[in-house]
């Protein structure tokens, strides 16, 4: 086993070889296109809130790029997932299967439906839900009653399965679809991190009943804050737009609302930024792949650590470049984080597992050996597209 200082310094050297001298943040936005022009046009029009041509255009552009029939823009990815789960039929006292290894927004969105997150294990190949292990678990701990998947222990309906495409790497989508079919679960994809990622040639977030995206400031493209709901179901799309616009009925002057809605619509100002960002997405993805290749070369001969590659037959957006320490090096993670950050190469660990957070300690969970192991070994390294920019 290498000493902590040796491995940490070797990782710093590899990062420096790939991207040059520090400082380098984890992920920063790039504004190199029509952002100023579209924002000025938006301001000049005075349509800066939830009505305006850029909102409509952004939704159309998203649908065209992802291949989804419909896209509904909202204020952030968490809001998108909340409404997607609601539209998928998640009700109070239901359970929703989500990975324990995810960002807290996935679990929070479930609770916004007054439902309970049910945590499941991940696999090392994709960093996403382990379909084979989850299948065995569901056979043992659930049963079917009137076409519903019911948790034998809690008696609650497990209504949906919400896999997350971790750091932009597509999950085992075929496995997720089979689970949803065989156990009568609604499939809602948390594709917050995977705009520009494809599974067997099809964009992530378009396989399930609904999918969601995020355009936070640290994502591959950004609208400042923002998200979107993807679906091929026209009825669900119309209902998503209705619910996220305070459930207001169309009328020239009256304010009439037919149910409890949510003020979740994306402002035109943010959508203008998104339109300009989407125009640059192909080059951003090329740059992020080029950055991966630089890291791949720099880390090729380094023992004790592996650079995460896209799963077979998948195309990852490489949102966050990710190192996986060997099992016998896992105790060196914190030293690597300390040294890299001290050298002004911003790195970070994976999230604390959801079942370890105070808000979710009492939620149901399967055994999580792989999620636990991965959380101790994963390190994200500088991933901005500008670190390997490519020309148009």
């Amino acid at each position: 086993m290498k000493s902590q200082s040796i491995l940490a310094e070797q990782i710093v050297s590899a990062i420096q070889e790939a991207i040059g001298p520090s400082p380098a943040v984890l992920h920063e936005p790039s504004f190199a296109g029509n952002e100023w022009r579209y924002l000025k046009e938006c301001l000049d029009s005075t349509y800066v809130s939830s009505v305006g041509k850029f909102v409509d255009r952004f939704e159309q552009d998203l649908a065209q790029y992802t291949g989804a029939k419909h896209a509904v823009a909202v204020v952030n990815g968490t809001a998108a997932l909340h409404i997607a789960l609601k539209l998928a039929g998640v009700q109070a006292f239901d359970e929703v299967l989500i990975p324990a290894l995810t960002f807290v927004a996935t679990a929070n969105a479930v609770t916004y439906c007054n439902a309970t997150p049910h945590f499941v294990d991940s696999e090392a190949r994709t960093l996403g839900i382990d379909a084979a292990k989850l299948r065995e678990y569901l056979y043992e701990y659930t049963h079917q009653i009137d076409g519903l998947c019911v948790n034998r222990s809690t008696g609650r309906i497990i209504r949906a399965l919400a896999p997350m495409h971790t750091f932009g790497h597509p999950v085992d989508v075929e496995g997720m679809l089979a689970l949803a079919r065989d156990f009568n679960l609604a499939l809602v994809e948390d594709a917050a991190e995977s705009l520009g990622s494809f599974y067997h040639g099809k964009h992530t977030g378009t396989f399930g009943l609904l999918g969601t995206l995020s355009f936070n400031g640290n994502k591959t493209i950004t609208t400042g804050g923002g998200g979107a709901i993807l679906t091929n179901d026209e009825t669900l799309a119309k209902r998503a737009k209705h619910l996220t616009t305070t459930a207001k009925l169309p009328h020239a002057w009256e304010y009439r609302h037919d149910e409890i809605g949510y003020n979740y619509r994306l402002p035109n100002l943010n959508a203008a930024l998104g339109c300009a960002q989407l125009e640059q997405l192909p080059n951003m993805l090329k740059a992020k792949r080029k950055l991966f290749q630089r890291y791949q070369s720099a880390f090729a001969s380094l023992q004790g650590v592996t650079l995460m590659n896209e799963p077979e037959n998948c195309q990852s957006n490489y949102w966050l470049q990710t190192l996986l320490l060997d099992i016998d090096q896992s105790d060196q993670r914190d030293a690597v984080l300390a040294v890299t950050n001290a050298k002004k190469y911003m790195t970070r660990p994976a999230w604390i597992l959801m079942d370890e957070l105070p808000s979710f300690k009492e939620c149901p969970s399967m055994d999580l050996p792989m999620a636990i192991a991965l959380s101790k070994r994963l390190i994200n390294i500088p991933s901005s597209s500008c670190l390997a920019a490519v020309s148009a």
Side-chain angles (χ1 to χ4, degrees), residues 337-358:
L337 291 167
V339 172
T340 51
N341 280 284
K343 298 284 188 178
K344 299 191 183 303
Y345 290 108
M346 186 182 292
T347 61
R348 76 174 188 196
W351 314 279
I352 295 173
L353 297 184
M354 294 300 98
D355 68 307
E356 298 176 10
L357 297 178

Side-chain angles (χ1 to χ4, degrees), residues 47 57 60 126 223 257 276 292 315 371:
Y47 284 94
R57 176 183 161 183
Q60 293 164 4
T126 67
T223 58
H257 308 262
F292 165 76
Q315 181 179 329

Side-chain angles (χ1 to χ4, degrees), residues 118-185:
H118 188 144
F119 302 119
V120 301
D121 206 8
S122 298
E123 61 174 5
R125 179 173 59 97
T126 67
L127 304 180
I129 290 176
D130 187 326
K133 185 173 181 182
L134 179 54
R135 176 173 291 274
E136 293 178 2
Y137 176 77
L138 292 175
Y139 273 131
E140 183 173 357
Y141 292 100
T142 71
H143 54 173
Q144 294 289 312
I145 300 177
D146 297 329
L148 298 172
C149 184
V150 178
N151 185 333
R152 293 180 186 271
S153 298
T154 64
R156 293 190 291 250
I157 296 170
I158 302 179
R159 189 77 63 176
L161 169 63
M164 196 267 286
H165 303 285
T166 312
F167 305 138
H169 297 301
V171 73
D172 174 12
V173 175
E174 184 177 352
M176 299 301 107
L177 288 168
L179 285 169
R181 179 192 65 236
D182 295 344
F183 292 92
N184 293 309
L185 303 166

Side-chain angles (χ1 to χ4, degrees), residues 278-318:
L278 263 180
E279 291 173 349
Q280 300 167 73
L281 180 58
N283 274 343
M284 290 180 182
L285 294 173
K286 289 178 184 177
K288 293 176 79 62
R289 183 166 294 272
K290 182 178 178 182
L291 179 60
F292 165 76
Q293 292 165 350
R294 288 184 181 177
Y295 277 133
Q296 191 175 42
S297 176
F299 281 95
S301 61
L302 183 53
Q303 301 296 311
V305 64
T306 301
L307 180 69
M308 289 298 301
N309 198 350
E310 60 198 358
E312 187 177 359
N313 295 318
C314 294
Q315 181 179 329
S316 175
N317 66 2
Y318 287 108

Side-chain angles (χ1 to χ4, degrees), residues 312-378:
E312 187 177 359
N313 295 318
C314 294
Q315 181 179 329
S316 175
N317 66 2
Y318 287 108
W319 171 53
L320 288 185
Q321 310 285 346
T322 305
L323 301 178
L324 180 65
L325 300 178
D326 289 357
I327 293 175
D328 62 354
Q329 305 294 329
S330 59
D331 63 340
Q332 300 195 35
R333 186 200 69 173
D334 289 350
V336 171
L337 291 167
V339 172
T340 51
N341 280 284
K343 298 284 188 178
K344 299 191 183 303
Y345 290 108
M346 186 182 292
T347 61
R348 76 174 188 196
W351 314 279
I352 295 173
L353 297 184
M354 294 300 98
D355 68 307
E356 298 176 10
L357 297 178
S359 302
F360 303 116
K361 281 184 176 293
E362 303 303 318
C363 293
S365 175
M366 68 189 298
D367 290 336
L368 304 168
M370 182 55 70
I372 293 170
L374 289 172
S375 70
K376 295 177 180 178
R377 298 163 57 201
L378 290 170

Side-chain angles (χ1 to χ4, degrees), residues 33-44 53-54 57 272-273 276 279:
N34 288 314
E35 288 87 354
W36 282 106
R37 175 187 163 196
Y38 292 167
L39 286 171
K40 184 179 186 307
E41 183 178 342
C42 186
L43 290 170
D44 288 344
K53 75 171 190 178
F54 286 110
R57 176 183 161 183
L273 189 61
E279 291 173 349

Side-chain angles (χ1 to χ4, degrees), residues 83-92 94 96 113 157 159-160 186 188 209-210 236:
I83 297 302
L85 290 169
K86 185 177 179 68
L87 292 174
V90 175
Q91 304 172 31
D94 284 349
V96 177
C113 298
I157 296 170
R159 189 77 63 176
V188 178
L209 183 64
L210 302 115
L236 289 178

Side-chain angles (χ1 to χ4, degrees), residues 7 73 135 144 172 181 214 220 231 239 256 310 380 389:
L7 180 60
R135 176 173 291 274
Q144 294 289 312
D172 174 12
R181 179 192 65 236
S214 171
T220 304
T231 185
R239 181 148 171 74
R256 192 177 297 276
E310 60 198 358
N380 297 131

